[in-house]
Amino acid sequence: MLIEPRHGDAEDDASSTKTHSLIAIAGSLLGEINLPKLALAWVILALVPGILLGVAPLLVTAWFGNISGRIMALAGIGPLLILVAVGAIGWFGLRPLFRAAERSFWSLNSLAVQPGYVLSREGLRHLAERFLPAGASEDSRARLRALTAFAAGLGAALVAGGIATAVWPATRWSGEVADLAHPLRLAVPALANTVAVMSGFFAVAALAWGIADAIMDQPRDLARFDDAPATGRQWRVAHLSDIHVVGERYGFRIESGRAGPRGNERLGLVLERLAAIHAEAPLDAVLITGDMTDAGRSAEWAEFLDALARHPQLAKRTLILPGNHDVNIVDRANPARLELPTSPGKRLRQMRTLSAMEAVQGARVHVVDKNAGEIGKTLSDRLEPHREAIGAFADAGGLRLSMGLSAIWEEVFPMVLPPAQADGLGVVLLNSNAETHFSFTNALGLVAEEDMRAMLAALAQYPQARWIIALHHHPVEYPQRAKAFSERIGTALINGSRFVRQLKPHGRRLVAMHGHRHVDWIGRCGALRIVSAPSPVMEATNDEPTAFYIHRLAAGADGGLALLAPERVEISPGNPI
């Protein structure tokens, strides 16, 4: 044949970061982006909120000046009515309002503050590490990371503060009723207010981010594993991540293209090897920390579930959680594809993922009741009242049927596999995916504040238990020297430093396990151990081996969780398909 279709071609490498640089891919996207849709998304996500933010103080002051006299005229009844109204708003709408405000807050961070701050921080680190001796101690590297974090935050804050100072003379913070008759008068001050508020927020947030990153326990390589206790329970957990199942027999993955294995044969080898290991020495759990699929498509989920069904003993021990490729890839074939915030496409990917999780672990994991602050129903029981609505939406799609399903997605996380005994081992499964609407910017992570509180409530409910905290995104950037600057712009949790701080008091009795970066790393932030899973199907061509780990955990004599030396399992490729 002139072209061997089983080996793929250049089209399979179109979106691959392993064969093209990020700059090259970004450049090719410019000619493919739907400009009208981009403009509409910009209006919905940025322009309208910005104008509302700028004009809000003008309208509020005008309204208050006009209505305050009337309210005061009600004498004693007025304050009582206001109190009742505020109480009603708090009772019926506080949680949805808080969730919306939090989502908007972190969306602003992910769009503006985090990229600018991280770019500055990693640029400084890249330059500074060139002058750091190769044999520098880990303490020296930790101090360098802290210093560059603070310097980046301070530098970004100064730039943003300068912008706010420059536009301040054009701002106006009080309005009159007469302004409403001539709304164009408010255009310039409203825009100036928006720029001033956004820049001021950027300055404060960047500085706070830099200080938070500087004073936290810096990530370090794990110096040594714990010794196995003489007595006590041990657990064996196979940790997989980023298996990126494709829906075609000869399909290649988005990121790796022809630089990675084709099809799903490698996954079959991994599961066969795991089944043999389990038959010889039983596993307690098989944990897959996200990116089960390459783009969250139905065919990919079908392939994943079929592969797992061929190994029922593994299936009944498997736990999965969503990765960015499962829910945030808008279009596998076109990374320039933009999804409007009102599109039901993202909701459909979420419901596919939720359906797969229910099928794999629905009867074993429980959902935290966030109102009661305790572990509640199983996932299957929690979803039962919504089964018909989810099925109807999956069958017909559409905006109307998708409305209301977002609350279901948000409420089922975190999922908890409770410990079998009060001092046993439990697993918390988090959703760490930020809201995105663009395939090329799909990878940012965020653990919602409400989910973190629910996670801590689960830990408090079993104060003697040991825990695995499982999520997709890495909480911190790894302390590894990078060859190229492009390697340093990571996609860690937007609120990673806060996440690490929340877990710090419980560090001795838990370990955090994640995927996302396909990097083989085990380290710590203070007492918190962090385990990154390599991908057993990525970063290697068909003829190269890949690997995964079976981690050994043990009940420590002090009530903590001991992390023993893991078993590395290498997967050598079989005969080419």
Side-chain angles (χ1 to χ4, degrees):
M1 296 180 64
L2 293 176
I3 299 176
E4 173 51 76
R6 299 172 186 83
H7 295 165
D9 51 39
E11 187 177 44
D12 295 298
D13 297 334
S15 306
S16 171
T17 55
K18 308 306 176 186
T19 55
H20 301 294
S21 69
L22 291 176
I23 294 177
I25 295 175
S28 68
L29 297 184
L30 295 178
E32 301 178 21
I33 290 176
N34 185 318
L35 295 179
K37 186 180 285 187
L38 179 64
L40 182 57
W42 183 80
V43 168
I44 295 173
L45 293 172
L47 183 60
V48 171
I51 291 176
L52 292 176
L53 182 65
V55 80
L58 303 176
L59 296 180
V60 169
T61 53
W63 174 84
F64 185 78
N66 183 55
I67 205 72
S68 59
R70 301 181 187 181
I71 293 177
M72 294 304 294
L74 294 175
I77 300 178
L80 179 61
L81 291 176
I82 294 174
L83 183 62
V84 171
V86 171
I89 292 172
W91 180 263
F92 293 107
L94 182 59
R95 281 190 61 196
L97 286 173
F98 176 81
R99 192 86 186 206
E102 181 194 20
R103 187 159 47 237
S104 299
F105 172 80
W106 288 115
S107 294
L108 175 60
N109 274 274
S110 64
L111 286 172
V113 183
Q114 198 262 1
Y117 164 68
V118 168
L119 187 66
S120 301
R121 184 192 68 194
E122 296 303 321
L124 287 174
R125 286 178 180 172
H126 195 63
L127 290 174
E129 285 184 359
R130 291 191 173 191
F131 300 98
L132 197 66
S137 68
E138 195 166 19
D139 287 340
S140 299
R141 294 184 182 278
R143 285 193 295 269
L144 177 65
R145 294 177 67 83
L147 180 61
T148 51
F150 175 75
L154 179 60
L158 290 175
V159 172
I163 295 174
T165 301
V167 302
W168 186 261
T171 61
R172 178 181 161 196
W173 302 102
S174 61
E176 301 175 354
V177 176
D179 292 330
L180 302 180
H182 304 281
L184 291 180
R185 292 181 185 174
L186 303 179
V188 172
L191 289 175
N193 290 355
T194 298
V195 174
V197 170
M198 296 283 284
S199 299
F201 173 79
F202 190 113
V204 173
L207 184 59
W209 219 312
I211 293 173
D213 281 355
I215 63 177
M216 71 178 288
D217 292 318
Q218 296 301 308
R220 300 168 181 258
D221 295 332
L222 192 66
R224 62 181 297 274
F225 293 98
D226 297 318
D227 297 324
T231 59
R233 181 72 194 278
Q234 292 193 22
W235 300 273
R236 300 174 71 241
V237 178
H239 184 195
L240 307 178
S241 195
D242 299 87
I243 56 179
H244 289 260
V245 171
V246 292
E248 308 88 9
R249 182 183 179 190
Y250 298 105
F252 288 92
R253 289 150 178 87
I254 297 173
E255 290 183 32
S256 57
R258 289 177 292 171
R262 65 178 179 269
N264 299 318
E265 182 188 29
R266 188 68 61 104
L267 174 61
L269 295 176
V270 169
L271 294 178
E272 288 174 7
R273 185 69 177 277
L274 266 179
I277 291 172
H278 175 69
E280 183 176 338
L283 297 167
D284 292 281
V286 177
L287 176 63
I288 308 178
T289 50
D291 281 359
M292 283 70 65
T293 66
D294 203 43
R297 298 185 302 170
S298 291
E300 296 170 346
W301 280 116
E303 289 283 349
F304 168 73
L305 293 172
D306 284 352
L308 200 57
R310 287 191 283 271
H311 302 281
Q313 293 303 313
L314 296 181
K316 67 174 61 175
R317 291 165 171 79
T318 297
L319 299 168
I320 64 175
L321 56 86
N324 62 298
H325 276 253
D326 301 316
V327 296
N328 277 344
I329 298 295
V330 176
D331 188 335
R332 185 179 191 273
N334 181 12
R337 173 94 178 274
L338 179 70
E339 200 170 52
L340 292 176
T342 55
S343 170
K346 182 177 182 115
R347 197 70 63 223
L348 182 56
R349 294 191 298 275
Q350 290 175 341
M351 293 302 105
R352 287 183 192 136
T353 305
L354 191 55
S355 176
M357 288 189 290
E358 195 275 335
V360 171
Q361 63 214 28
R364 293 180 289 130
V365 300
H366 293 250
V367 175
V368 177
D369 184 333
K370 295 175 181 176
N371 291 318
E374 61 184 21
I375 298 171
K377 297 179 179 179
T378 66
L379 176 62
S380 294
D381 290 341
R382 177 67 177 80
L383 293 177
E384 186 59 35
H386 309 287
R387 188 176 298 274
E388 184 175 342
I390 294 173
F393 168 63
D395 182 55
L399 179 60
R400 180 182 64 83
L401 292 174
S402 73
M403 296 177 64
L405 297 184
S406 61
I408 298 173
W409 174 257
E410 292 168 354
E411 288 296 326
V412 297
F413 294 101
M415 299 176 192
V416 179
L417 179 67
Q421 300 86 27
D423 60 349
L425 178 69
V427 183
V428 176
L429 304 171
L430 295 166
N431 171 32
S432 61
N433 294 285
E435 291 281 336
T436 66
H437 309 282
F438 187 31
S439 283
F440 194 61
T441 59
N442 69 84
L444 283 174
L446 166 72
V447 176
E449 186 71 22
E450 194 174 33
D451 290 356
M452 278 197 273
R453 289 202 301 270
M455 170 188 68
L456 296 176
L459 300 186
Q461 193 169 339
Y462 290 88
Q464 296 179 319
R466 287 86 174 177
W467 293 92
I468 294 174
I469 306 298
L471 68 165
H472 182 59
H473 294 77
H474 46 302
V476 294
E477 294 293 347
Y478 310 129
Q480 297 177 334
R481 188 187 292 267
K483 296 179 181 178
F485 181 62
S486 60
E487 297 178 15
R488 308 193 69 104
I489 306 304
T491 50
L493 290 181
I494 298 170
N495 56 344
S497 60
R498 175 160 177 76
F499 178 78
V500 170
R501 282 185 170 83
Q502 293 293 301
L503 292 179
K504 184 177 179 179
H506 310 276
R508 71 181 184 85
R509 64 185 182 108
L510 58 82
V511 59
M513 293 186 175
H514 69 84
H516 192 45
R517 283 291 295 274
H518 312 166
V519 173
D520 181 353
W521 183 73
I522 301 177
R524 63 180 179 87
C525 281
L528 176 64
R529 282 79 51 87
I530 302 174
V531 175
S532 171
S535 169
V537 303
M538 301 281 279
E539 317 301 333
T541 55
N542 274 3
D543 58 345
E544 296 175 332
T546 52
F548 64 90
Y549 284 91
I550 295 176
H551 293 281
R552 298 187 302 139
L553 309 172
D558 60 350
L561 178 65
L563 180 61
L564 313 182
E567 175 187 350
R568 187 176 189 271
V569 181
E570 187 170 291
I571 302 298
S572 298
N575 295 325
I577 298 175

